[in-house]
Amino acid sequence: QVQLQQTGPGLVRPSQTLSLTCAISGDSVSTNSATWNWIRQAPSRGPEWLGRTFYRSKWLYGYAESVKGRISISPDTSKNQFSLQLNSVTPEDTAVYYCVRELHGGKWEDSWGQGTLVTVSS
Amino acid sequence: QTVVTQEPSLTVSPGGTVTLTCASSTGAVTSGYSPNWFQQKPGQAPRALIYSSSNKHSWTPARFSGSLLGGKAALTLSGVQPEDEADYYCLLYYTGAWVFGGGTKLTVL
């Protein structure tokens, strides 16, 4: 049973960088049979997929158009984790952020981090 | 910008049947979009119900079913229970990126 444990600050100043990390247990970030994703949900809004990283002979990445240019997701094989960086944040980036595993073939299941409420405020 | 559209709200009586749909701005939704459905209750993370259009997870109640219907992905609840009142989101895959629908607020009344 995979478990995802998120860490990172709950308050970020405007124009600064939001950084979160997701530690994986019960699976490997380098597996060929899953992708590792970040999803966020702003207050009273629906979820928004932000991006993913995965390994298929090499590291691959995908990002949502809405945040492309500001986002970076990176794996850390030595610590079996992956991280999210979102640059130049504004109050509109205030949301609960989740790390989530998707199994190969488009199977989203119950492997979610606990969620981190990140507030962007001065 | 790809847009995934769901009914904003639906109301169903207990014991009734309701179908929620998920449409893509790019055209007909097919199995290639790998439709997934999630249920979300207040204060909780979304919970996966359906993957690959119609496949259920081990925890998905039998009254939930997924399909492709008239160019859309669909989630049908048969014999609705009061505990099914929740927000429902579809998720579609577009060559390298996933996009959530705006969600349907289902009221059981």
Side-chain angles (χ1 to χ4, degrees), chain A residues 39-62:
Chain A
I39 288 170
R40 71 180 178 184
Q41 189 165 22
S44 301
R45 303 283 298 273
E48 177 186 18
W49 178 84
L50 296 177
R52 65 180 182 172
T53 185
F54 57 106
Y55 188 76
R56 301 289 186 268
S57 303
K58 64 178 181 179
W59 286 103
L60 299 169
Y61 307 89

Side-chain angles (χ1 to χ4, degrees), chain A residues 65-91:
Chain A
E65 286 296 327
S66 61
V67 292
K68 200 171 282 188
R70 292 199 296 136
I71 188 173
S72 175
I73 295 175
S74 54
D76 183 341
T77 57
S78 66
K79 296 181 180 179
N80 200 32
Q81 63 186 30
F82 63 109
S83 299
L84 166 70
Q85 284 202 314
L86 187 64
N87 302 323
S88 305
V89 297
T90 72

Side-chain angles (χ1 to χ4, degrees), chain A residues 41 46-47 49 52 106 108 110, chain B residues 36 40 47-48 57 93 98 100:
Chain A
Q41 189 165 22
W49 178 84
R52 65 180 182 172
W108 294 79
D110 257 6
Chain B
N36 280 253
Q40 188 175 32
R47 187 163 208 212
H57 292 285
Y93 181 70
W98 292 88
F100 278 96

